[in-house]
Amino acid sequence: MAYFKWEDRYRIGHERVDQQHRRLFKLINELQQHADSGAGPEVAIEAINSLVDYAVAHFADEEELMQEIDFDGLIQHRWRHHSFVGKVADMALEWGQGGKRVSMTS
């Protein structure tokens, strides 16, 4: 089940970035599936680490592209990136404490 379905409206028109965004959707969906299935901490850690590692690499790549084109909203977009990583870190902490409440929508 896809919790977050990729739609064409999310495309920004830069193929590399669009592919990276699709990969992020896939990783988020996998993490949510693990949470819903009651997966253990080992699975959770692997899924969270995969998501964070990929997100951090993607965010660096995307921010570099934004700098190259003097994107006006870079600072705000960078903040959204940091917020996302913080949210995933909070989920990891809660899962590690046995709460297993993982939701990218709340």
Side-chain angles (χ1 to χ4, degrees):
M1 173 183 178
Y3 299 90
F4 292 96
K5 185 179 178 209
W6 177 262
E7 298 176 10
D8 281 341
R9 67 186 174 113
Y10 300 131
R11 289 178 36 106
I12 65 164
H14 189 284
E15 190 54 37
R16 184 175 78 216
V17 174
D18 287 336
Q19 287 176 355
Q20 291 172 353
H21 287 162
R22 283 190 284 276
R23 175 79 175 142
L24 284 171
F25 271 64
K26 181 178 185 291
L27 291 169
I28 290 166
N29 285 323
E30 288 173 2
L31 177 59
Q32 190 69 57
Q33 287 171 346
H34 291 313
D36 289 350
S37 72
E42 303 83 21
V43 173
I45 290 168
E46 184 177 330
I48 289 168
N49 285 341
S50 292
L51 176 57
V52 169
D53 290 347
Y54 192 82
V56 168
H58 160 67
F59 294 158
D61 189 37
E62 187 176 69
E63 289 170 12
E64 183 178 319
L65 288 170
M66 289 176 170
Q67 273 186 309
E68 288 174 8
I69 63 167
D70 293 323
F71 179 67
D72 287 335
L74 176 59
I75 292 171
Q76 295 86 353
H77 205 82
R78 190 174 280 148
W79 174 252
R80 289 171 50 198
H81 288 166
H82 288 285
S83 176
F84 176 87
V85 172
K87 187 171 189 174
V88 173
D90 288 346
M91 289 186 320
L93 181 61
E94 185 164 343
W95 202 337
Q97 293 173 343
K100 295 185 182 173
R101 184 194 63 79
V102 175
S103 175
M104 293 302 297
T105 60
S106 61

